[in-house]
Amino acid sequence: MNIGFIGLGNMGSPMAINLLNAGHHLTVFDIVEASVHQVAEQYPQRVKASASPKALAQAELDLIMTMLPASAHVRSVYLGPDGIFANCSSKTALIDSSTIDPQTSRDLAKVAQDQQMVILDAPVSGGTAGAQAGTLTFMVGGDEQQYLRFKDILSLMGKNIVYCGGSGNGQVAKVVNNMLLGISMMGTAEAMSLGVSLGMDPKTLAGIINTSSGRCWSSDTYNPFPGVLENVPSSRGYSGGFGADLMLKDLGLATEAAKAAQQPVPLGSLAQQIYQTFSLQGKGHLDFSAIIQLFQKQ
Ligand code: NAD
């Protein structure tokens, strides 16, 4: 296939490489030229650099994928006279894997429908390690036939490709899961800190929680207390995981979506405020499990 890829950052770059590893031809664009060169130099025969989203959209590709930071970037790349929609043939399908608010995905789907074009929202979980290993989970919203049509392509970058329903539902699954993760991480951090302050050994405490009713992914797979588990960010200075600022972004998407749906999310809102405080302290670059530092003596 001839595939366009816009957004070659921490996630997009390894995802693009996995498409290239499978033999596809890529036309790529990123506002950072160095990111384009880094991908192009690995497969000079099969990677073309494009000058803009407009030029890429005009290249008559089979599929364009986007992996951008947030809703504003996605809107700027898709909409307006220089955007994908204004310059793309209806034969080119579109897949946006950025994590953005469900309403923006639904707005884009409406534009696509008006132009007889296909767009799927397909945000991912699994982090940069999953992007490199090709083991991401894709949560896909949009037309089911189109999901089935592109499932094999997404399988080159992920191992779970899950259909979530109509447009925007991929984003709904993603932001709701991450809201729960933010809440459960804070609960685990609070409980671990209290238990240790009251005299428990952290590993013994984690062992009890993990065989009792308090067990969750944050306690048994990604424990925030340093030294409890090996090979997790808390045991290497909270480096190299899922940044607290990215968690803050996803909590913001969840609380905004909740406002629009008039659905109360008191714990999600509290988690957002606490991650906001953490970010203001200049710690947003640390892994999100570092939130435990708010509950510990420094
Ligand atoms: P990133 O900031 O590393 O990459 C984004 C890329 O988009 C950058 O290379 C940037 O230069 C490029 N870009 C920005 N504006 C652009 C524009 N107008 N045109 C073209 N390129 C543009 O971010 P990332 O970590 O790769 O994340 C991408 C998306 O995936 C985000 O929505 C994020 O929430 C989501 N996500 C990230 C992770 C993670 O662990 N990093 C995990 C799951 C989902």
Side-chain angles (χ1 to χ4, degrees), residues 6 9-11 29-32 67-69 73 99 124 127 249:
I6 300 181
N10 292 328
M11 297 293 287
F29 175 71
D30 193 291
I31 47 173
V32 178
M67 192 52 168
L68 297 161
H73 309 86
T99 301
V124 300
K249 173 197 156 191

Side-chain angles (χ1 to χ4, degrees), residues 235-279:
S235 293
R236 48 169 192 260
Y238 300 100
S239 64
F242 179 56
D245 274 345
L246 280 178
M247 173 52 82
L248 176 60
K249 173 197 156 191
D250 290 355
L251 287 166
L253 291 175
T255 52
E256 281 302 309
K259 208 185 288 171
Q262 299 188 322
Q263 165 72 40
V265 284
L267 296 184
S269 296
L270 182 59
Q272 184 200 13
Q273 291 299 313
I274 293 177
Y275 272 99
Q276 183 72 74
T277 307
F278 195 61
S279 183

Side-chain angles (χ1 to χ4, degrees), residues 222 230-241 287:
Y222 211 87
E230 285 173 22
N231 299 323
V232 293
S234 58
S235 293
R236 48 169 192 260
Y238 300 100
S239 64
D287 178 73

Side-chain angles (χ1 to χ4, degrees), residues 19-228:
L19 292 173
L20 287 163
N21 288 342
H24 294 288
H25 290 251
L26 255 59
T27 302
V28 299
F29 175 71
D30 193 291
I31 47 173
V32 178
E33 262 180 52
S35 307
V36 172
H37 291 315
Q38 230 167 17
V39 172
E41 74 189 9
Q42 300 200 35
Y43 285 96
Q45 309 294 326
R46 283 192 282 118
V47 178
K48 270 190 221 153
S50 213
S52 63
K54 180 177 176 177
L56 189 144
Q58 289 170 340
E60 306 263 331
L61 302 163
D62 301 308
L63 168 68
I64 298 175
M65 290 206 61
T66 47
M67 192 52 168
L68 297 161
S71 305
H73 309 86
V74 172
R75 284 183 182 276
S76 80
V77 163
Y78 278 91
L79 302 173
D82 294 329
I84 292 174
F85 283 124
N87 295 284
C88 201
S89 140
S90 62
K91 289 192 192 116
T92 306
L94 310 169
I95 299 181
D96 178 36
S97 281
S98 324
T99 301
I100 60 172
D101 65 289
Q103 191 53 50
T104 295
S105 294
R106 288 173 181 160
D107 293 346
L108 296 182
K110 175 79 178 62
V111 179
Q113 195 184 24
D114 291 347
Q115 294 187 206
Q116 271 101 50
M117 292 180 70
V118 168
I119 188 165
L120 297 172
D121 49 292
V124 300
S125 66
T128 50
Q132 276 155 21
T135 56
L136 294 169
T137 292
F138 281 85
M139 293 152 266
V140 187
D143 181 80
E144 191 168 11
Q145 291 308 315
Q146 299 299 334
Y147 152 78
L148 292 171
R149 184 174 152 212
F150 290 105
K151 197 173 171 193
D152 286 350
I153 288 285
L154 297 179
S155 300
L156 300 172
M157 299 170 282
K159 71 168 192 257
N160 296 310
I161 320 299
V162 185
Y163 182 63
C164 298
S167 296
N169 277 13
Q171 303 294 353
V172 171
K174 168 78 185 171
V175 301
V176 165
N177 177 70
N178 277 19
M179 182 181 83
L180 180 56
L181 175 61
I183 294 167
S184 70
M185 179 54 78
M186 282 192 12
T188 304
E190 202 173 296
M192 287 296 302
S193 302
L194 176 63
V196 173
S197 302
L198 294 175
M200 281 289 291
D201 169 71
K203 276 194 179 177
T204 309
L205 177 58
I208 301 283
I209 291 173
N210 291 336
T211 50
S212 306
S213 46
R215 183 184 66 81
C216 63
W217 185 87
S218 299
S219 70
D220 73 359
T221 307
Y222 211 87
N223 200 291
F225 205 96
V228 167

